[in-house]
Amino acid sequence: MTTPRTGPRLIATDLDGTLLCSGGTVSGRTAAALAAAEAAGVQVVFVTGRPPRWMQQVSSHIGGHGVAICSNGGAVVDVRRGELLESFPLDAGTALDVVAALRAKLPGTAFAFEYPAGFAREPRYEVPMWGQNEDHPIGPAEELLGAGGPVHGLFKLLAKHPDLDPDKLLSEAREAAGHLAEITRSAPIPLLEISAPGVTKASTLARWCAGRGIDRSEVVAFGDMPNDLEMLAWAGTAYAVANAHPQVLAAVPLHTVSNEQDGVAAVLEQLIGR
């Protein structure tokens, strides 16, 4: 593996499929590498598609700043305090326009909504077994997003199709509604993640760095899926883990070993001289 010629000031890493092992755990080696980076004065920022409500399990590994960029750039959260610091919501009217466009182009698509108060979904949007007992609003998109509905400050619109190939789903969705919003994917299933126009991991990370006087050349980023591409292109140095999506592997010249082999930790150990 090749390392940058100058030391970074900030590490920006995706979580699932990149930093975390299967099951969403942080290995001992990775935890030690993150702590060593922080001790060396290198900030570590988690930049993830996860909503804020899914961040507590990694809160003990977050940097001294306590902050994560969530929902593909839609929210900046102080994880330890459970405080939303900044958000870049998708307008409800625009979200309904996206819903209409995807329903027309991709029949059978069902929708769900991540927002500051929690999660809501349409009846046909299936949730994992471990989430079926969670209390959340259920109804058609028009009711959930309407004036009297519960969804306000939408971080991310989710669109799930029952059987399309995930990459084909992304391509067709962008053709139908890419002019309305940012559309990407990070899951191995046909599930789209939709944000406000111009809102990506890269846009919010750039804003975070600018506020701290950190140039993009001083950032090292790690990722594995299409929702990481903008961030990996923006950062001065970028690595794809070996298990990354083929599109990511093709776009990013520097590669490390897989998430299961502690690929992020392997690079951090080189960068900080361990």
Side-chain angles (χ1 to χ4, degrees), residues 44-61:
V44 178
V45 178
F46 297 155
V47 188
T48 177
R50 287 186 178 209
R53 64 194 180 94
W54 283 3
M55 292 301 296
Q56 283 306 313
Q57 74 180 100
V58 296
S59 63
S60 61
H61 304 287

Side-chain angles (χ1 to χ4, degrees), residues 53-54 119 121 127 129-138:
R53 64 194 180 94
W54 283 3
F119 172 78
R121 65 180 175 91
V127 295
M129 288 186 64
W130 49 263
Q132 289 179 353
N133 295 324
E134 294 179 355
D135 185 24
H136 54 257
I138 301 173

Side-chain angles (χ1 to χ4, degrees), residues 12 43 46 49 106:
Q43 291 191 42
F46 297 155
L106 302 161

Side-chain angles (χ1 to χ4, degrees), residues 97-118:
D97 289 341
V98 172
V99 167
L102 295 186
R103 280 178 179 162
K105 177 78 171 179
L106 302 161
T109 302
F111 299 90
F113 315 90
E114 294 284 357
Y115 58 107

